[in-house]
């Protein structure tokens, strides 16, 4: 293991994967003064899919890194609404009116491509703190020498870096190279995604859901796999629908996003009793694509030598907490802080050991909560605070995930506490694992009690 020097040093950083997580890491490490190269396996660095949820725990880092959030054309969410499956009447509503006041940042919904473009601009542009990152396309990672930090790409090129980040998604190659073999099973749930334009829906006289500025859910209350999730993006012009149903009604576990669009009849087939208002929207759905859903057991570690994993490469999760992108952004933020002039003393091994120590437990907690929320929407952050509704029931009140736990978390304190312990120094803060000691969560748990 490397020896600790007392002085910060500039690193050469290689990031495998140019998606949202990879671009976030590039920004964070650029801001901390390092030289960053992003390697993207495709011939362009882009994203496919539609909406991305970015709650306050993700949005705060976009502001800290001086990202031009307006470029992403977000919808600022005002509510979470759970509707009755058949009637569409609201069953549970979580109001976000005081959200920014409470947590310091808004809850943004982005279109994935717009968010990616916004992050890529920040990572690569001349303006802003740090040296612009370099993007190299058509560089697919084949192997990494864990002794020398040399990456070999499928195109025959090699590159050596002090720090290497595997941000190469759910099918991560880097993950296998550092010896992590996923234990995974196909979900009991399947999902088809569809896009609907507000303009077309309104023209046909259908309900204008864009007016709600809300994440909206149908079902999810009855312990069933059926659920429709509507997330608005592009300032409300696009409505992104995620349509879940039992896998025995359609198995897409081996499908990929890049395939052909599915027929609209396939989208409608699982839902004979669905609220007619939302069903009308699905009838005009476009770009209908299957989304593979696999449940991964938590990984034992997410770093080895000078290599670490980030985002879906390190902790893939079901989408039911809308925290996948935020967890990747938080990973990037953790790396930015750990390798900053304030905390980094030149020992990459020490920094990555702390990265593993702070990121894996938090992401694993969200991962477990997301699996529960797949069939019980009361486990979803936000709705988990609505204990006063008739259908409220969670598996274990003390273990449920709440908005307070997600947004009260202070990563700087968490890192300071763990680094102090590792360095044999005294930690003076009144925080434990990044949460303020004495904070009472809505589930009755008091931090540090």
């Amino acid at each position: 293991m490397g020896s600790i020097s007392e002085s910060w040093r500039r690193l050469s950083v290689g990031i495998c994967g140019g998606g949202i997580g990879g671009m976030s890491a590039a920004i964070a490490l650029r801001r901390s003064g390092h030289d960053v190269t992003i390697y993207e396996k495709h011939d362009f660095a882009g994203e496919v899919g539609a909406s991305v949820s970015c709650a306050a725990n993700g949005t705060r880092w976009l502001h800290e890194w001086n990202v031009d959030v307006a470029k992403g054309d977000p919808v600022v969410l005002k509510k979470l609404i759970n509707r009755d499956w058949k009637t569409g009447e609201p069953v549970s509503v979580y109001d976000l009116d005081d959200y920014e006041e409470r947590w310091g940042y808004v809850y943004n919904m982005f279109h994935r491509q717009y968010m990616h473009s916004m992050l890529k601009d920040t990572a690569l542009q001349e303006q802003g703190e740090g040296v612009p990152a370099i993007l190299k396309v058509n560089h697919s990672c084949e192997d990494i020498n864990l002794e020398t930090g040399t990456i070999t790409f499928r195109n025959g090129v090699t590159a050596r870096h002090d720090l290497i980040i595997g941000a190469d998604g759910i099918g991560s190659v880097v993950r296998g190279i550092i010896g992590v073999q996923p234990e995974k099973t196909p979900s009991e749930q399947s999902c088809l995604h569809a896009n609907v334009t507000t303009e077309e829906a309104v023209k046909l006289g259908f309900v204008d859901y864009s007016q709600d500025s809300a994440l909206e859910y149908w079902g999810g209350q009855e312990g069933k796999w059926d659920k429709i999730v509507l997330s608005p993006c592009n300032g409300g012009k696009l409505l992104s629908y995620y349509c879940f149903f039992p896998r025995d009604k359609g198995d897409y576990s081996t499908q990929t996003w890049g395939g052909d669009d599915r027929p609209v009849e396939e989208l409608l087939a699982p839902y004979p009793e669905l609220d007619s208002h939302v069903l009308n929207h699905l009838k005009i759905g476009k770009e209908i694509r299957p989304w593979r859903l696999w449940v991964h057991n938590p990984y034992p570690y997410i770093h080895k030598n000078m290599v670490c994993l980030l985002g879906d490469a390190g902790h893939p999760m079901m989408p039911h907490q809308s925290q996948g992108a935020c967890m990747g952004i938080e990973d990037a933020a953790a790396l930015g802080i750990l390798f900053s002039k304030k905390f980094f003393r030149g020992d990459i091994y020490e920094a990555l050991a702390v990265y593993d120590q702070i990121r894996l437990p938090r992401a694993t907690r969200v991962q477990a909560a997301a699996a529960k929320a797949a069939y019980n929407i009361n486990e979803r952050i936000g709705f988990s605070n609505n204990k006063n509704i008739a259908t409220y029931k969670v598996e274990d009140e003390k273990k449920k995930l709440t908005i307070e736990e997600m947004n009260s978390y202070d990563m700087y304190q968490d890192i300071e506490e763990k680094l102090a312990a590792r360095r044999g120094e005294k930690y003076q803060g009144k925080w434990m694992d990044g949460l303020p000691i004495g904070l009472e969560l809505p589930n009755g748990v008091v931090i540090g009690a």
Side-chain angles (χ1 to χ4, degrees):
M1 293 291 147
S3 64
I4 297 177
S5 80
E6 288 299 316
S7 59
W8 179 88
R9 61 189 171 102
R10 181 191 293 266
L11 300 177
S12 164
V13 181
I15 300 175
C16 297
I20 284 170
M23 290 298 168
S24 297
I27 297 166
L29 287 158
R30 169 189 173 170
R31 293 288 185 257
S32 292
H34 302 287
D35 296 322
V36 182
T37 305
I38 306 155
Y39 300 99
E40 168 54 43
K41 67 179 177 184
H42 297 297
D43 58 2
F44 76 104
E47 282 278 359
V48 291
S51 61
V52 177
S53 218
C54 194
N57 63 305
T59 297
R60 66 163 296 174
W61 301 107
L62 303 182
H63 288 282
E64 185 148 328
W65 299 329
N66 289 316
V67 175
D68 184 353
V69 175
K71 265 189 187 171
D73 195 21
V75 169
V76 174
L77 291 186
K78 298 297 181 198
K79 285 183 172 67
L80 305 177
I81 304 171
N82 180 218
R83 297 181 180 276
D84 182 86
W85 183 258
K86 295 178 182 176
T87 67
E89 288 300 310
V91 177
S92 180
V93 177
Y94 188 77
D95 206 311
L96 301 171
D97 275 350
D98 64 346
Y99 188 86
E100 185 177 13
E101 192 184 320
R102 286 180 75 191
W103 308 117
Y105 302 91
V106 299
Y107 193 142
N108 285 305
M109 283 302 307
F110 291 101
H111 188 293
R112 193 173 280 274
Q113 279 98 319
Y114 281 65
M115 182 185 194
H116 181 266
S117 176
M118 165 189 93
L119 292 168
K120 186 171 79 166
D121 286 353
T122 309
L124 305 182
Q125 70 195 8
E126 289 294 331
Q127 309 96 292
E129 202 180 335
V131 179
I134 295 163
L135 172 63
K136 297 193 174 186
V137 296
N138 294 313
H139 278 62
S140 181
C141 174
E142 186 168 52
D143 201 8
I144 300 170
N145 183 318
L146 296 175
E147 299 305 313
T148 64
T150 304
I151 311 171
T152 303
F153 298 97
R154 290 219 174 106
N155 59 10
V157 174
T158 60
R160 205 201 79 71
H161 294 283
D162 302 313
L163 170 65
I164 298 168
I165 298 161
D168 50 344
I170 188 121
S172 174
V173 171
V174 178
R175 183 171 60 210
I177 291 168
I178 68 166
V180 175
Q181 301 301 330
E183 290 177 28
K184 60 177 186 172
T185 51
S187 169
E188 294 299 318
Q189 210 170 31
S190 287
C191 179
L192 284 171
H193 175 267
N195 284 327
V196 173
T197 64
T198 295
E199 185 182 18
E200 187 180 356
V202 170
K203 203 176 276 182
L204 290 167
F206 300 159
V207 175
D208 182 0
Y209 289 117
S210 73
Q211 298 297 314
D212 297 340
S213 296
L215 259 176
E216 309 203 33
Y217 302 78
W218 283 257
Q221 286 280 4
E222 303 85 17
K224 295 176 183 170
W225 297 111
D226 296 302
K227 183 165 66 179
I228 306 289
V229 183
L230 157 61
S231 47
C233 47
N234 285 144
K237 296 184 285 293
L238 189 73
L239 305 174
S240 187
Y241 281 96
Y242 297 87
C243 304
F244 298 94
F245 46 88
R247 188 155 55 96
D248 57 23
K249 290 187 183 176
D251 186 348
Y252 301 103
S253 54
T254 58
Q255 304 276 336
T256 60
W257 268 111
D260 294 335
D261 291 355
R262 313 299 299 183
V264 73
E265 293 74 23
E266 206 170 297
L267 179 67
L268 303 175
Y271 306 125
E273 297 182 309
L274 180 62
D275 166 24
S276 61
H277 294 300
V278 71
L279 197 64
N280 282 335
H281 275 233
L282 298 186
K283 285 175 183 173
I284 58 168
K286 307 279 192 300
E287 299 164 302
I288 298 163
R289 302 275 175 90
W291 189 7
R292 278 187 299 194
L293 296 176
W294 288 78
V295 181
H296 286 238
N297 288 346
Y299 301 155
Y301 57 89
I302 53 171
H303 88 288
K304 191 171 186 181
N305 292 19
M306 76 293 287
V307 180
C308 69
L309 304 175
L310 179 143
D312 283 347
H315 39 72
M317 55 189 68
M318 296 287 277
H320 303 286
Q321 293 290 359
S322 308
Q323 274 286 327
C326 285
M327 288 296 102
I329 290 169
E330 281 194 2
D331 291 344
L335 291 170
I337 297 167
L338 281 161
F339 289 99
S340 67
K341 292 185 173 73
K342 180 176 179 184
F343 291 112
F344 182 48
R345 294 180 181 172
D347 187 342
I348 293 166
Y349 296 103
E350 176 191 67
L352 289 185
V354 174
Y355 172 75
D356 207 308
Q357 201 180 352
I358 69 159
R359 291 310 303 149
L360 202 49
R362 182 160 159 93
T364 296
R365 176 129 171 76
V366 177
Q367 200 178 30
K372 286 181 189 171
Y375 54 87
N376 179 4
I377 204 160
N378 297 303
E379 299 274 7
R380 172 33 169 109
I381 304 162
F383 295 128
S384 61
N385 289 32
N386 285 354
K387 293 192 278 191
N388 56 350
I389 63 164
T391 52
Y392 176 84
K393 190 181 180 191
V394 294
E395 189 179 299
D396 185 336
E397 189 67 27
K398 288 271 192 263
K399 289 184 181 171
K400 73 180 184 184
L401 193 60
T402 65
I403 211 158
E404 288 76 9
E405 183 178 339
M406 292 311 297
N407 291 346
S408 300
Y409 175 73
D410 187 315
M411 192 183 287
Y412 284 98
Q413 293 292 341
D414 199 5
I415 285 173
E416 213 164 304
E417 181 190 359
K418 303 297 191 296
L419 272 176
R422 190 165 281 273
R423 291 170 176 172
E425 298 166 359
K426 190 166 172 54
Y427 171 65
Q428 307 286 357
K430 295 179 167 46
W431 302 72
M432 194 170 118
D433 299 328
L435 291 170
I437 289 171
L439 172 70
E440 183 171 359
L441 300 173
N443 55 12
V445 172
V446 178
I447 303 302

